[in-house]
Amino acid sequence: MKRRFYQTLFELNASPWIATRLKRFAESSVSRHLIPSFAKVYDIAVEEAEQPLHAYPSLHAFFTRHLKPGARTIDESSETLVSPCDGKLSVIESISEDSRFEVKGQSYTLAELLGSQQDARRYAGGTVVVLYLSPRDYHRVHTPLSGRVLSHYELGDRSAPVNELGLTETVRPLSRNYRRVTRFDSPAGTYEHIMVGALNVNTIEWTLEGDQAEKGQEVGYFSFGSTVVLCFEKDAVQMNHEKMGPVRLGDVIGTIKTN
């Protein structure tokens, strides 16, 4: 029963009216009393949190918590690609020439995801990396590579859940939901860093100041349920298929291909 409540709260699988009120509740001081229960239900590693549980003013503040220094290790090699967040990793390689790919049985096109057929052509034959964050995960998002922001924009106004059920049964939530698309120039060439928001409310906060980001640097966070998508050009990266499934921020998930 408790897990069902928290899934509804943080994945916001409800009407816009209910979702807005659930968000307000999670941000209220009253919700702080649920933090120990939430941490227990999802078996969250509370020892990694920057502050003790009683120090968080709301359930939302705990959900978007920072971690203690050293809780995650970012691989520093110039040749590696690291996970930009905690989550469940899946990879789609060799995107078709018409930019079509599949996630959880759903068909997408990069043109839909990026909002531009011209931009999508850049990634034909390339790689799409999808990371789904569950309520138990650390919900701040970082960079997989060092790089410079070339552009950023926001898309989407549809409300659909981005939990695993939503990815399977809702009509293309990754390309319909509110999302922030940021294009980076990096050692692996140009790539797209896409944060996909949750149901019915804008839940993406961008924290990067300026247009330069070091490898593993925080760029934003999700207030509620969420997904991160990375798009790389053809022959830019080689993914590590042994890492499919649960990963943590800073884990090596691939390498940069050299010509």
Side-chain angles (χ1 to χ4, degrees):
M1 182 64 72
K2 287 182 179 179
R3 178 177 286 267
R4 179 60 179 170
F5 170 73
Y6 291 132
Q7 285 177 329
T8 301
L9 180 62
F10 284 105
E11 298 176 21
L12 298 181
N13 300 319
S15 70
W17 187 88
I18 294 174
T20 299
R21 281 151 183 79
L22 286 172
K23 182 175 183 290
R24 288 177 183 170
F25 169 74
E27 293 174 337
S28 72
S29 59
V30 175
S31 69
R32 68 191 301 265
H33 301 293
L34 295 179
I35 294 174
S37 170
F38 177 77
K40 183 177 181 180
V41 166
Y42 284 103
D43 192 27
I44 293 171
V46 296
E47 68 279 2
E48 294 180 342
E50 183 180 51
Q51 303 179 68
L53 297 189
H54 65 79
Y56 291 95
S58 68
L59 188 55
H60 175 265
F62 175 69
F63 188 80
T64 59
R65 63 194 176 279
H66 286 282
L67 301 180
K68 290 178 180 176
R72 298 289 182 275
T73 301
I74 309 297
D75 184 88
E76 297 181 353
S77 171
S78 61
E79 300 175 353
T80 59
L81 171 74
V82 301
S83 176
C85 58
D86 290 4
K88 188 174 182 180
L89 172 69
S90 60
V91 173
I92 302 92
E93 296 182 311
S94 299
I95 304 166
S96 68
E97 291 300 315
D98 64 354
S99 81
R100 194 169 300 278
F101 63 98
E102 190 171 291
V103 177
K104 300 285 185 179
Q106 297 256 24
S107 179
Y108 294 89
T109 69
L110 281 183
E112 289 178 320
L113 190 64
L114 302 177
S116 168
Q117 183 65 58
Q118 181 177 346
D119 290 342
R121 293 192 188 100
R122 175 191 299 271
Y123 301 99
T127 300
V128 172
V129 177
V130 181
L131 293 121
Y132 162 67
L133 290 75
S134 73
R136 77 183 301 268
D137 289 320
Y138 165 65
H139 268 68
R140 291 185 176 260
V141 180
H142 300 239
T143 56
L145 298 160
S146 60
R148 178 172 62 91
V149 175
L150 298 176
S151 65
H152 59 83
Y153 54 93
E154 297 171 353
L155 292 170
D157 57 7
R158 186 181 175 92
S159 298
V162 289
N163 59 9
E164 291 196 275
L165 181 62
L167 289 174
T168 303
E169 298 186 2
T170 307
V171 179
R172 299 193 300 279
L174 296 184
S175 59
R176 300 295 181 87
N177 275 27
Y178 175 85
R179 57 202 182 278
R180 181 186 174 97
V181 182
T182 306
R183 180 172 300 158
F184 281 93
D185 182 31
S186 78
T190 301
Y191 77 93
E192 308 288 342
H193 182 291
I194 306 163
M195 296 174 66
V196 183
L199 176 64
N200 291 322
V201 291
N202 172 9
T203 61
I204 298 170
E205 298 291 340
W206 191 254
T207 60
L208 178 67
E209 297 181 359
D211 62 1
Q212 296 288 339
E214 298 301 317
K215 185 178 185 180
Q217 183 174 344
E218 181 189 314
V219 294
Y221 66 86
F222 290 108
S223 293
F224 298 92
S226 43
T227 303
V228 174
V229 181
L230 306 173
C231 301
F232 295 96
E233 296 173 297
K234 183 179 181 179
D235 296 326
V237 296
Q238 176 65 53
M239 302 305 298
N240 181 357
H241 290 277
E242 293 182 358
K243 297 297 292 187
M244 299 303 102
V247 294
R248 303 210 307 175
L249 166 67
D251 286 353
V252 175
I253 60 174
T255 55
I256 299 172
K257 285 187 176 181
T258 56
N259 296 327

